[in-house]
Amino acid sequence: MAETLLDIRNLRIEATAYPPGEPPRNLVLVDNVSVSVKKGRVLGLIGESGAGKSTIGLSAMAYGRGGVRLTGGEVRLNGRDIRLADAAGLRALRGREVTYVAQSAAAAFNPAKRLMEQVVETCLHHRLMSRAEAETRAVWLFGKLGLPNPETFGNRYPHQVSGGQLQRAMTAMALCPKPDLVIFDEPTTALDVTTQIDVLAAIKEAIRDTGVAALYITHDLAVVAQVADDILVLRGGKTVEYGATGQIISDPRAAYTRALVSVRSIEHQEKPDARPILSVDHVTARYPGTHFDVLKDVTVDVAPGQTLAIVGESGSGKSTLARAITGLLPATQGRIRFDGRELSPDLASRTRDDLRELQMIYQMADVAMNPRQTVGTIIGRPLEFYFGLKGEARDRRVQELLDQIEMGAGFAKRFPAELSGGQKQRVCIARALAAKPRLIICDEVTSALDPLVADGILKLLLALQAREGVAYLFITHDLATVKAIADKIAVMLKGAVVRYGRKSDVLSPPFDDYTDLLLSSVPEMKPGWLEQVLKHRRMESAGN
Amino acid sequence: MRRIPISALIGLLVTGAFFAVALTAQWIAPYSMEEASGGVWEPISAAHWLGTDNIGRDLLSRMIFGAQVTIFIATAATILSFATGSVLGFLAATAGGWLDQVLSRLVDLIMAVPTLILSLVILTAVDVTNLTLILVMGFLDATRVFRLSRAVAVDITVMDYVEAARLRGEGRSWIIFREILPNALSPLVAELGLRFIFAVLFISTLSFLGLGVQPPLADWGGLVKENSAGLVYGVPAALAPAFAIALLAIGVNLVADWVLSRTTSLKGGRGG
């Protein structure tokens, strides 16, 4: 039986909130959470945003972000309660016994220093090893983490490596001082699905080879199932369920865990092909002042009342296609036809009806709504603008739309800042619906949301499609979402469509290389999936 | 709204008092502006609370009417600079292209010449009246407001909600006044206070140099000039208007600071 490394008992964490216009209020962020990690084991912390997972993770180094206080319980690391440690004690502890890997590697590295300098900094600061020893260890870690040219990798600056490589470099930084415990705070969330799998595999291997214990924080149960031995499910700062990974995945006991496990189980029947409402015909586009086509000869159709999903990783031209269709980035070649008439490539010369029938919903609902306008104004403006509705007629229609997005009365007077993430996205949907569009372009509308909330939004979109007959052009990098809602799929890579057709055709073999890579990279909710995929890939590359 | 901090409260009180004096000058001043009611540089007495000036006029009355002149010109110039500067700045930010280039380079050109020298040149060439003073100060200050509002608006125009408005087909005036202006208001209001104080200092400087408000009318800068010779003989008359300028500057700054810290706290910065 391995020794217990980290033992958190009845942890209570509080913070003070300063709501505008009200007296300061005490908030309990984490309440009575107990959890332990044995040497060399990995504990997954999972929950939606605000569940307290990062707060608990940081408490393992007795740290609280701005104004957060650890007010009760014990955090025992190597047998002593680090909550009671003084500043010097904490300084000796952090970076030596516990290290941290942040979500955004790009924001965590100093852009003015070479990677090696930053990776060995902690070792030198704590006088754990000489510079030569530290650099040797860093090179070894670079190799372990699958970074290219481990000998010279450290000479690069942060901007000279990719996001996935930077994330691995930060993992090397955390592992370099030979800590007992590493806290991984959503290390793969900001990465593309195809990159995520590499980083995940590298992290897993490095954890195994260095024998370090880890806290792995994420909102994605499928990801944590690959790396963690045990899982702690959190909600609102309280423990929902705590158990071995296998048990949580295959036999979840709490209702909330069951919902998390069964998320993305929407069944969607593919509809038969029909005469398209939107056809994009050999469209090529480039940004003004550049000499590089960001869209290359793209041809896709959307049928009325159906969904075309555009899939691809970041930089593949998905959003640019949306900009070309809406006219924000006029196409340099090709034609865009809408309901039988040709759309002018330029936004300024389109008719008001063209604009009305083609609406858009954005990824970040936060910045898609003017923070100084109420929900009533935000939804009411298209009604006023396109249909000339005023006063009571307008308010009535706003309320109808709020009902359609399953939000009650009283929301019309609120400001966006007073809504939750899911509610904000619903308001954006209502604003698009207000124009009575024929087609809505949805640009990554669920990727900033928690899985259960995203599920709700997808269900709402499907229900609205069934009722209003609106077509969607759905841009996403998440294939699980695609499976849930698409009728047709276009896979994009470097500005071109590499695979296009009915959902059943696109998602069944034979695959082209890229689609295969994309499909196999989507984490599945079963332990051992990661090894299977990697084994499969190694065999394929050996076969070639 | 959070409770107003004590410093801002003092600032509001001081600023409010000065504006109240300026508005009610006709009724509260014990003597008229031009009337010589005593001897030259008389000391403080019951009849003359602040003594008399270099030709025997009541200094308190001169100060009160001076407040009216100073604050009126500074306020008018500030309003003019904000009306032109912010609208042009927003226009440049939303339109972009050649309009932005022409306006921005023109502003660069004006700002390349020190404001004081440029205004002295203009004011020696034209008839100096209150109106010309306001116009010259207002338009020169507008360049700075233009810079700020363009910078703020450039940040806002790339927001998705502005793009959403453009996709809806909204005209430029809706985008400027309904989408951008409400979100740019806080930094602009803070800047308004600072620009007002610069206008007060500027008109005082011009008057001190003799190219500002013309006698027998006088603003505070003019009063300092008239009485500065007395300092040599130990007559403190020039200090009263100087003190008034400083007090108003501090008062307005305290208010502007508060507005500014509220703005930054909106973005999750200081003041949390």
Side-chain angles (χ1 to χ4, degrees):
Chain A
M1 196 66 184
E3 209 181 316
T4 299
L5 174 72
L6 175 73
D7 194 9
I8 293 177
R9 286 184 207 156
N10 308 328
L11 183 65
R12 185 182 173 87
I13 300 178
E14 291 175 62
T16 311
Y18 298 92
E22 289 165 44
R25 198 170 62 221
N26 212 41
L27 289 179
V28 179
L29 300 180
V30 174
D31 190 18
N32 199 17
V33 169
S34 299
V35 77
S36 69
V37 185
K38 291 192 170 51
K39 280 201 169 136
R41 304 275 283 179
V42 179
L43 170 72
L45 294 176
I46 185 151
E48 57 199 42
S49 36
K53 44 190 197 307
S54 289
T55 314
I56 293 177
L58 289 170
S59 76
M61 46 163 88
Y63 179 72
R65 280 195 182 126
V68 171
R69 302 181 304 275
L70 280 64
T71 50
E74 289 177 14
V75 181
R76 304 189 79 85
L77 184 75
N78 281 325
R80 61 181 202 285
D81 190 355
I82 59 170
R83 252 194 69 208
L84 309 173
D86 58 0
L90 287 174
R91 222 166 24 240
L93 168 101
R94 294 173 182 162
R96 186 183 218 157
E97 289 174 58
V98 191
T99 54
Y100 178 73
V101 176
Q103 173 171 358
S104 170
F109 274 98
N110 182 342
K113 285 185 170 174
R114 292 179 198 275
L115 290 171
M116 180 59 88
E117 195 71 18
Q118 305 185 53
V119 168
V120 301
E121 190 183 0
T122 329
C123 298
L124 301 184
H125 187 81
H126 283 291
R127 308 215 168 114
L128 295 172
M129 42 188 108
S130 70
R131 179 174 283 273
E133 280 168 354
E135 290 192 356
T136 314
R137 182 169 164 80
V139 169
W140 178 75
L141 282 167
F142 290 156
K144 270 279 160 257
L145 288 159
L147 287 165
N149 309 320
E151 305 294 330
T152 55
F153 182 80
N155 294 335
R156 303 201 206 170
Y157 285 97
H159 71 272
Q160 293 173 315
V161 305
S162 72
Q165 289 172 350
L166 207 55
Q167 199 69 48
R168 278 179 273 178
M170 186 152 63
T171 307
M173 187 200 291
L175 290 172
C176 198
K178 302 186 183 169
D180 298 322
L181 180 73
V182 183
I183 303 161
F184 291 96
D185 195 351
E186 305 251 15
T188 64
T189 307
L191 303 173
D192 269 319
V193 65
T194 49
T195 318
Q196 160 168 307
I197 189 169
D198 293 333
V199 174
L200 204 57
I203 288 178
K204 186 168 184 180
E205 202 175 309
I207 289 176
R208 201 185 56 217
D209 290 356
T210 54
V212 70
L215 285 181
Y216 198 99
I217 300 163
T218 177
H219 66 274
D220 191 341
L221 195 53
V223 164
V224 84
Q226 306 313 316
V227 292
D229 301 302
D230 301 297
I231 293 179
L232 173 66
V233 183
L234 291 158
R235 190 180 201 190
K238 292 194 173 70
T239 305
V240 175
E241 195 165 356
Y242 177 36
T245 303
Q247 177 257 311
I248 297 271
I249 301 294
S250 56
D251 180 24
R253 296 197 184 115
Y256 178 68
T257 320
R258 274 202 293 278
L260 278 184
V261 172
S262 64
V263 79
R264 298 168 172 175
S265 56
I266 301 174
E267 290 290 324
H268 176 62
Q269 217 56 49
E270 187 180 309
K271 295 187 202 79
D273 217 346
R275 240 184 105 240
I277 180 158
L278 173 82
S279 44
V280 177
D281 192 8
H282 298 285
V283 162
T284 297
R286 65 172 60 171
Y287 284 96
T290 62
H291 303 283
F292 176 75
D293 289 329
V294 278
L295 284 182
K296 294 168 197 145
D297 199 26
V298 172
T299 302
V300 288
D301 290 334
V302 189
Q306 299 197 12
T307 304
L308 168 70
I310 310 274
V311 202
E313 52 193 68
S314 36
S316 62
K318 310 184 295 282
S319 297
T320 311
L321 177 60
R323 293 178 72 83
I325 294 171
T326 53
L328 284 168
L329 178 70
T332 47
Q333 282 167 45
R335 298 189 306 172
I336 296 164
R337 298 173 62 78
F338 189 77
D339 200 17
R341 58 185 192 269
E342 187 161 340
L343 286 183
S344 140
D346 183 28
L347 178 66
S349 43
R350 291 192 181 176
T351 68
R352 193 171 272 213
D353 259 0
D354 289 342
L355 297 172
R356 180 180 68 76
E357 296 194 328
L358 210 157
Q359 290 290 312
M360 181 134 178
I361 308 173
Y362 294 85
Q363 172 174 7
M364 306 298 286
D366 273 336
V367 289
M369 291 186 286
N370 191 333
R372 306 279 166 152
Q373 290 175 358
T374 60
V375 168
T377 313
I378 290 167
I379 302 178
R381 178 59 189 170
L383 299 172
E384 210 173 272
F385 186 75
Y386 294 123
F387 306 113
L389 286 186
K390 281 205 168 59
E392 208 176 310
R394 193 190 75 147
D395 294 345
R396 227 183 2 256
R397 180 81 183 114
V398 167
Q399 192 50 52
E400 272 173 39
L401 287 160
L402 280 173
D403 290 341
Q404 279 195 8
I405 55 166
E406 295 152 23
M407 280 165 69
F411 276 103
K413 292 210 163 51
R414 293 212 203 167
F415 284 93
E418 298 167 310
L419 304 175
S420 73
Q423 287 170 339
K424 281 180 198 164
Q425 199 56 284
R426 281 169 194 263
V427 171
C428 288
I429 293 173
R431 174 173 66 184
L433 279 182
K436 293 200 174 138
R438 310 278 301 274
L439 175 78
I440 299 180
I441 298 176
C442 306
D443 191 355
E444 300 267 16
V445 291
T446 56
S447 46
L449 301 172
D450 285 312
L452 287 178
V453 179
D455 227 34
I457 296 284
L458 290 181
K459 282 180 185 147
L460 174 68
L461 284 172
L462 285 175
L464 291 171
Q465 184 169 57
R467 200 178 328 148
E468 312 272 322
V470 59
Y472 297 131
L473 186 124
F474 203 96
I475 295 168
T476 181
H477 66 274
D478 180 10
L479 278 153
T481 309
V482 172
K483 284 177 191 164
I485 66 154
D487 296 296
K488 276 176 130 180
I489 299 176
V491 180
M492 288 190 75
L493 176 66
K494 293 178 183 156
V497 173
V498 292
R499 193 175 169 96
Y500 169 58
R502 317 284 321 148
K503 175 167 73 171
S504 46
D505 297 335
V506 170
L507 295 183
S508 45
F511 296 121
D512 57 294
D513 290 350
Y514 183 67
T515 309
D516 188 31
L517 177 71
L518 211 55
L519 281 175
S520 66
S521 300
V522 181
E524 282 174 32
M525 225 169 279
K526 56 183 183 202
W529 163 83
L530 184 63
E531 284 73 18
Q532 268 177 28
V533 175
L534 295 174
K535 208 171 123 197
H536 171 75
R537 285 193 187 168
R538 268 196 294 275
M539 272 162 56
E540 290 231 315
S541 59
N544 290 340
Chain B
M1 191 180 288
R2 219 171 292 160
R3 252 169 13 98
I4 302 174
I6 187 83
S7 60
L9 215 56
I10 294 172
L12 280 173
L13 222 65
V14 170
T15 315
F18 272 111
F19 273 84
V21 167
L23 288 174
T24 55
Q26 270 74 4
W27 298 284
I28 60 169
Y31 302 90
S32 81
M33 187 108 190
E34 297 92 2
E35 177 192 355
S37 51
V40 172
W41 282 329
E42 269 179 24
I44 291 169
S45 65
H48 303 288
W49 290 4
L50 288 178
T52 57
D53 75 350
N54 61 331
I55 51 174
R57 294 170 294 194
D58 178 50
L59 192 58
L60 180 65
S61 307
R62 298 273 293 166
M63 288 275 297
I64 291 173
F65 282 106
Q68 191 174 42
V69 175
T70 308
I71 291 177
F72 168 70
I73 292 180
T75 308
T78 312
I79 291 173
L80 180 66
S81 69
F82 268 76
T84 47
S86 61
V87 168
L88 287 178
F90 290 157
L91 194 66
T94 48
W98 63 268
L99 184 66
D100 185 18
Q101 284 297 325
V102 169
L103 284 172
S104 295
R105 295 300 81 80
L106 192 70
V107 164
D108 284 350
L109 197 71
I110 299 173
M111 286 175 86
V113 186
T115 318
L116 186 60
I117 294 178
L118 192 58
S119 48
L120 288 181
V121 170
I122 300 173
L123 288 172
T124 41
V126 299
D127 224 13
V128 179
T129 63
N130 284 357
L131 182 68
T132 49
L133 277 173
I134 291 169
L135 288 178
V136 168
M137 285 170 53
F139 281 119
L140 288 182
D141 233 22
T143 55
R144 281 167 173 82
V145 180
F146 172 88
R147 273 282 180 88
L148 176 80
S149 43
R150 182 183 170 277
V152 173
V154 161
D155 272 353
I156 299 173
T157 36
V158 297
M159 290 291 187
D160 283 345
Y161 58 82
V162 177
E163 189 179 299
R166 284 173 56 204
L167 283 180
R168 193 159 60 223
E170 300 283 4
R172 183 159 287 149
S173 61
W174 172 279
I175 289 179
I176 288 179
F177 291 107
R178 301 302 293 272
E179 304 287 348
I180 295 178
L181 186 63
N183 291 292
L185 217 50
S186 296
L188 283 182
V189 168
E191 181 72 4
L192 186 80
L194 296 181
R195 295 259 61 101
F196 171 73
I197 273 307
F198 275 111
V200 169
L201 292 177
F202 200 63
I203 183 68
S204 303
T205 310
L206 287 177
S207 299
F208 186 76
L209 294 173
L211 276 167
V213 179
Q214 297 302 310
L217 223 56
D219 69 327
W220 292 337
L223 291 180
V224 175
K225 175 187 155 78
E226 288 165 6
N227 297 299
S228 59
L231 289 175
V232 181
Y233 310 107
V235 179
L239 296 182
F243 181 72
I245 294 171
L247 194 64
L248 181 60
I250 291 168
V252 175
N253 262 306
L254 288 175
V255 180
D257 246 13
W258 168 57
V259 176
L260 206 61
S261 77
R262 281 190 50 215
T263 333
T264 35
S265 77
L266 271 181
K267 295 173 188 154
R270 68 184 213 211

